[in-house]
Amino acid sequence: MAIALGLIAALLLLAGAGLGSEGWQPLWGADDAASRAILWDIRLPRAAGAWCAGGLLGLAGAIAQGLFRNPLADPYLLGSASGAALGVAGLLVLSGLSPMAAAGWAASWGLTGAAFAGALGAVLTTLALARGVQQTLRLLLAGVVVAMVFGALASLLMYEVPEILRSLQSFMLGTTSFIAAPAAVLMAGTLALGLALAVPASRTLDALALGESTARSLGTPVAGHRALLVAVMALATAAAVAQVGLVAFIGLVAPHVARGLARPTHRWLLPLAALVGGVLLLAADVAARWLLAPREVPVGILTAVLGGGYLLWLMNRRPGR
């Protein structure tokens, strides 16, 4: 199954590299410097970055659903999405950036840093309010509160300074347009680090599926592994959101698709969910550029529509089918 997902990802990567502003415009055989720059500096980093961002969200979603023992848990439960939106809105207000300025250097560096700082700040606030990660229910409720408060603050900034709304729109809808090679490398490294840390601790997620007391009776280091997994989830979510904005449903749907393909333990579910998440977001990115070319559909809208439809089908399908 992993090999099949890898092949699909490779084909989608080629498709992403062949799509231009006017639709299908392959540049693989071009020998001029401009075409090579477009291929290697814009198209390939964007496609690879979309896969990495989807992988991060898929990994974070699988961890969240295992930790909270809830199939509807997603990576944004700790308030990272609202924190990222607040960080971006705060930067736009403080720096007085215009929509044109936000499309240049700020989109590549300033807004990315602000989104990461806001997401990390929201997660740290959630952990402080929950007094650590020992109690899952307290952590979940603290995340809901932080998400509501930070979201309200971001909305207040947009209400008071409506000029930032246009600049913030791409981030709120989700986009892969601003991914460059350094961002793709950063997300790839974060994904590799997250998997390296989470997979060895995944047996705790298997034990927690049997209940908190049962997991402790089995001798599983629940407290330490839970703290590590929360840190991986927060880092993966913040890294993805900082680069692609608020992309909906990938982190929620990817673990469900992975479980539908196989019934693995979390040791295999975590990397499988990352592979599925990468394929889903890369496929959505390709479709977003191809459907209305030369116009581009915000990838977050496409993932919300397709992800919502999949979950509705999953809810209404007959048992045993």
Side-chain angles (χ1 to χ4, degrees):
M1 189 57 63
I3 296 176
L5 289 171
L7 291 175
I8 294 172
L11 292 175
L12 288 171
L13 187 64
L14 290 175
L19 280 173
S21 59
E22 299 293 333
W24 184 250
Q25 296 174 313
L27 299 175
W28 300 303
D31 55 359
D32 59 292
S35 297
R36 288 198 300 270
I38 291 172
L39 178 62
W40 292 100
D41 297 339
I42 298 176
R43 293 186 185 178
L44 281 175
R46 174 175 179 169
W51 186 90
C52 291
L56 288 168
L57 292 174
L59 172 63
I63 293 174
Q65 291 176 14
L67 277 178
F68 295 108
R69 286 171 283 170
N70 188 336
L72 294 180
D74 73 353
Y76 301 151
L77 274 179
L78 299 184
S80 56
S82 299
L86 179 60
V88 172
L91 175 66
L92 293 174
V93 170
L94 292 176
S95 60
L97 293 175
S98 67
M100 293 303 294
W105 68 268
S108 300
W109 301 102
L111 297 186
T112 295
F116 186 85
L120 189 61
V123 171
L124 293 176
T125 303
T126 298
L127 294 177
L129 292 176
R131 300 173 187 174
V133 297
Q134 287 75 23
Q135 298 186 34
T136 303
L137 181 59
R138 182 189 291 270
L139 186 65
L140 178 61
L141 293 175
V144 171
V145 171
V146 169
M148 293 179 64
V149 172
F150 277 47
L153 292 175
S155 298
L156 178 62
L157 287 178
M158 288 185 283
Y159 177 77
E160 292 293 333
V161 189
E163 293 81 7
I164 70 171
L165 185 57
R166 185 178 176 185
S167 302
L168 196 59
Q169 188 175 38
S170 294
F171 178 84
M172 298 291 288
L173 294 177
T175 180
T176 56
S177 301
F178 303 128
I179 296 178
V185 172
L186 175 63
M187 287 191 287
T190 304
L191 179 58
L193 176 63
L195 286 170
L197 293 175
V199 170
S202 60
R203 64 180 185 273
T204 296
L205 298 176
D206 297 326
L208 283 174
L210 303 174
E212 185 89 16
S213 58
T214 303
R216 294 184 185 279
S217 68
L218 293 174
T220 306
V222 175
H225 282 179
R226 180 186 280 134
L228 176 63
L229 290 168
V230 167
V232 171
M233 181 177 69
L235 179 62
T237 306
V241 168
Q243 303 299 334
V244 300
L246 307 184
V247 175
F249 276 103
I250 295 295
L252 177 60
V253 170
H256 287 278
V257 175
R259 292 189 192 95
L261 297 175
R263 294 289 181 179
T265 61
H266 279 87
R267 181 177 183 83
W268 298 105
L269 177 63
L270 296 183
L272 190 59
L275 286 173
V276 172
V279 167
L280 290 178
L281 187 52
L282 181 52
D285 177 57
V286 171
R289 287 190 278 164
W290 173 73
L291 284 175
L292 299 179
R295 297 178 59 191
E296 183 175 324
V297 180
V299 70
I301 294 178
L302 200 58
T303 59
V305 172
L306 297 178
Y310 172 78
L311 287 181
L312 286 175
W313 171 81
L314 199 65
M315 289 169 53
N316 291 288
R317 69 174 182 171
R318 295 178 182 177
R321 291 184 58 184

